[in-house]
Amino acid sequence: MVVVTAPEKRLGAPFWRFWTSAAAANVADGVRAAALPLIAASVSDNAFGVALIAACQQGAWLVFGLGAGVVADRYPPARVVAAADVLRVVMLAAVLTALFLDTVTIPLLAGAAFVIGVAETFRDTAAHSLVPRLVDQTQLERANGRLVGAEIVGNEFLGPLLGALLFAVAVTLPVALDATALLVAVVLILTLRRAAPAIATVDPAGSRPPLLVDLGRGARWLLSNPRLAAVTCSGAAVCFADSAWWSVLVVYSNDVLGLPEAGFGLLLTAGAVGGTVGALGAERLAGRLTPHVVLAAAALLCGLPAVAIALGGSLPVTAVMLAVSSGGFAVWSVVALSTRQREAPPEILGRVTGTHRLVLFGSGMVGALVGGVLADSVAITAPFYLAGALATVAAAGLLVVARTERRGQA
């Protein structure tokens, strides 16, 4: 099935208020991504302590991913997003107070990072449930493309740049900016509560199912839907592959390309540019090809550039291929998200999203570990070749499922 977009219809004021809120939150996330490790490094020279900050924030998805889906389905998603951002502001205020009092410790930062990660888990899941209630189904690719583009600019470019620059001026400034941007996001999201009410999840008798049953409903629905299950499985392969070579990219850029830290930052900027272009162009591809064909092509664009980087071993090739890979990942994200929002029943979209993202985050974490092991034990380029192989397998699997479905409809 080819998705037909409706370019003549505007996305509407509620969506753009949500987009502005999301953009502010993404800038805040990018500022925090740069600031917290810098603060941790200023407190302790223990590399494990610095790494613990990122691990605590990312690990929250594995613990609360399914629960976040249940909450997103049971309550108005705009209210869940706002509550999550308020909790993040509270934690940032605690960190800011500790900075002023000069009482910051690694355990305090790790605890704050974990709570912020928990809040982000609930926020992102509810936000994905919010979009289909603000725009028509025919506009999902366009809306998600704008959102993913803003996420890339905020998380990977503007936010980290601001965070690093402000940290150089005063250690408290990036934390203050982070909290301020989140407060702006809260004010904007609260204007959407009437535009995106909750969808009832109780049974006709007026009671809710047991919590464990509710938690597993999204997973059961995914397993019963071959098309969406294929998207999740391919996403797991792509995230594993992407994390495997990205986790050692800084070592590759230093040892093979001979780049200093500033040069590595420019490489990441090339990736952010490619990702933004891919996010904004996903709508056109989705309007001309079936979702699984677009996803298969995007999977190849995610992984094969890693092979080209390993074979090329030069700065120009690496920069171009990073942009291509990031563009492919952005296209995959937009089309996979839009397909899930379009096909999953609205009353369980949060749980389907939570299950999907739990699988992807878990796969990405394992992929990063495997990439590090391969780089140390085999060769620095081994994760790059693995990424190309896994991307090819993911693309082939998507095409096989799509072909099987077409035969079943014939």
Side-chain angles (χ1 to χ4, degrees):
M1 178 183 67
V2 178
V3 177
V4 180
T5 57
E8 72 282 352
K9 187 173 182 180
R10 296 178 182 274
L11 289 169
F15 169 79
W16 286 113
R17 289 201 302 274
F18 173 64
W19 182 90
T20 306
S21 172
N26 283 318
V27 171
D29 292 345
V31 169
R32 190 184 326 112
L36 284 187
L38 290 172
I39 294 172
S42 70
V43 173
S44 171
D45 57 1
N46 187 325
F48 176 79
V50 176
L52 181 64
I53 306 304
C56 284
Q57 188 163 344
Q58 295 173 2
W61 262 106
L62 300 180
V63 181
F64 291 97
L66 295 179
V70 173
V71 171
D73 288 334
R74 288 187 174 184
Y75 300 99
R79 191 174 298 174
V80 175
V81 171
D85 281 345
V86 168
L87 178 57
R88 294 201 287 178
V89 171
V90 171
M91 295 310 303
L92 289 168
V95 173
L96 193 59
T97 302
L99 287 171
F100 278 119
L101 297 176
D102 196 23
T103 57
V104 175
T105 63
I106 292 297
L108 184 148
L109 290 174
F114 181 75
V115 175
I116 288 171
V118 171
E120 189 172 349
T121 300
F122 283 85
R123 186 198 198 282
D124 289 351
T125 302
H128 284 186
S129 298
L130 187 57
V131 176
R133 308 181 197 188
L134 299 177
V135 302
D136 292 338
Q137 284 200 357
T138 55
Q139 298 175 305
L140 284 173
E141 278 78 13
R142 195 189 332 164
N144 287 320
R146 270 57 173 179
L147 288 166
V148 171
E151 180 180 351
I152 292 171
V153 172
N155 279 357
E156 300 181 15
F157 178 65
L158 183 58
L161 178 62
L162 288 173
L165 290 176
L166 291 175
F167 181 86
V169 177
V171 66
T172 57
L173 286 180
V175 181
L177 176 60
D178 188 353
T180 302
L182 287 175
L183 284 175
V184 172
V186 170
V187 171
L188 289 168
I189 207 69
L190 287 176
T191 66
L192 301 175
R193 287 186 295 175
R194 292 184 179 180
I199 295 175
T201 57
V202 297
D203 63 25
S207 63
R208 297 187 188 277
L211 180 59
L212 290 179
V213 174
D214 228 7
L215 284 171
R217 191 175 173 191
R220 290 193 298 274
W221 186 89
L222 262 181
L223 290 174
S224 68
N225 188 302
R227 296 181 74 247
L228 268 295
V231 172
T232 298
C233 289
S234 70
V238 168
C239 285
F240 186 103
D242 197 61
S243 296
W245 69 279
W246 271 87
S247 67
V248 299
L249 182 61
V250 64
V251 179
Y252 178 88
S253 68
N254 182 49
D255 293 353
V256 178
L257 302 180
L259 284 180
E261 292 181 357
F264 180 67
L266 292 177
L267 278 183
L268 296 183
T269 300
V273 171
T276 304
V277 172
L280 297 179
E283 178 192 2
R284 291 182 177 274
L285 292 174
R288 289 167 171 77
L289 301 169
T290 62
H292 278 56
V293 170
V294 176
L295 290 171
L300 291 175
L301 288 177
C302 288
L304 294 183
V307 177
I309 290 173
L311 292 173
S314 67
L315 179 58
V317 170
T318 302
V320 172
M321 290 298 102
L322 274 178
V324 173
S325 178
S326 295
F329 196 85
V331 171
W332 194 96
S333 298
V334 170
V335 177
L337 173 57
S338 301
T339 302
R340 189 169 65 252
Q341 290 170 335
R342 184 175 287 113
E343 298 192 14
E347 66 273 13
I348 63 168
L349 177 57
R351 279 161 287 182
V352 172
T353 296
T355 302
H356 174 86
R357 288 172 68 85
L358 177 65
V359 172
L360 266 58
F361 269 80
S363 178
M365 291 181 68
V366 175
L369 295 174
V370 171
V373 171
L374 287 176
D376 285 338
S377 61
V378 180
I380 187 62
T381 55
F384 295 72
Y385 292 115
L386 175 64
L390 286 177
T392 303
V393 171
L398 283 166
L399 294 176
V400 168
V401 171
R403 184 177 180 182
T404 302
E405 184 183 38
R406 284 197 302 270
R407 285 181 174 178
Q409 293 174 349

